[in-house]
Amino acid sequence: MSTILENNNNKHKIVYNQYESELQLPRIMQLIENDLSEPYSVYTYRYFIHNWPNLCFLAKDGDKYVGVIICKLDRHKDRLRGYIAMLAVANTHRKMSIGSNLVKMAIKVMKEMNADEVVLETEYTNLGALGLYQRLGFIKDKRLHRYYLNGVDAFRLKLFCKTMV
């Protein structure tokens, strides 16, 4: 699965692909480590990527990885719940809709897999992420006090994929 999108100023041709092989893992880890506050071991990445490779998407500009999203989909109580574990976009490629496009691609696949909802956590101070997810229809579900290792609170955000009856 490959999708090519150009950003508005035509300087960049961003190509989006599903995860393909373990050879991509070092670049995925580097992108995420540069962007997220939580440290993850290689085993965390492998847990998500090996169990749900169809829910990991990468964005490339030429031969450089500039964005990644890593997700899962499994049962939570009586619902099929998608979970966005990690989303990162290189600082040099922000404000080009790469993060939005990656999230939309992942949500589309989760909906095709019959997800009832999609959830994630983000730092309550991360206004960029909060804005991105709210523009995509996510709502604040709850505040999680001292959720991250750095002591910062998080918001759990939720997107309902089906009409609630």
Side-chain angles (χ1 to χ4, degrees):
M1 176 179 189
S2 180
T3 304
I4 299 172
L5 298 169
E6 291 184 44
N7 77 338
N8 294 336
N9 64 16
N10 294 325
K11 286 183 183 175
H12 302 277
K13 189 173 284 186
I14 307 301
V15 179
Y16 298 85
N17 290 300
Q18 266 183 336
Y19 172 81
E20 294 170 359
S21 83
E22 181 84 8
L23 296 174
Q24 295 169 307
L25 190 55
R27 292 184 184 169
I28 290 170
M29 291 174 63
Q30 182 180 27
L31 254 176
I32 291 170
E33 287 170 2
N34 288 341
D35 217 42
L36 302 185
S37 60
E38 291 288 286
Y40 296 105
S41 78
V42 69
Y43 303 106
T44 304
Y45 293 99
R46 285 184 174 139
Y47 165 75
F48 286 101
I49 292 171
H50 289 181
N51 288 304
W52 299 277
N54 60 321
L55 294 176
C56 176
F57 295 93
L58 300 136
K60 284 179 78 174
D61 185 2
D63 62 352
K64 183 179 178 185
Y65 287 93
V66 295
V68 63
I69 189 166
I70 298 174
C71 308
K72 73 174 187 169
L73 181 70
D74 58 4
R75 287 256 158 234
H76 177 77
K77 300 179 182 172
D78 64 339
R79 308 182 65 71
L80 194 55
R81 174 181 273 186
Y83 179 70
I84 298 175
M86 302 170 214
L87 172 67
V89 176
N91 285 336
T92 57
H93 286 71
R94 301 251 170 103
K95 303 294 181 193
M96 295 182 187
S97 299
I98 294 169
S100 294
N101 289 332
L102 289 166
V103 173
K104 288 176 188 175
M105 292 173 79
I107 290 170
K108 180 179 183 288
V109 173
M110 287 186 235
K111 285 181 175 181
E112 289 169 357
M113 296 171 70
N114 210 27
D116 294 299
E117 62 189 19
V118 179
V119 299
L120 65 105
E121 295 86 24
T122 190
E123 290 185 4
Y124 86 107
T125 57
N126 189 340
L127 300 180
L130 289 167
L132 179 150
Y133 290 115
Q134 288 174 330
R135 283 190 300 277
L136 294 174
F138 285 80
I139 60 169
K140 291 178 185 172
D141 186 44
K142 66 172 84 167
R143 185 165 175 167
L144 306 165
H145 295 282
R146 300 185 53 80
Y147 182 79
Y148 291 103
L149 292 175
N150 62 7
V152 173
D153 291 359
F155 282 120
R156 174 161 299 132
L157 304 179
K158 188 178 284 189
L159 174 72
F160 293 100
C161 299
K162 298 177 180 175
T163 304
M164 301 301 287
V165 180

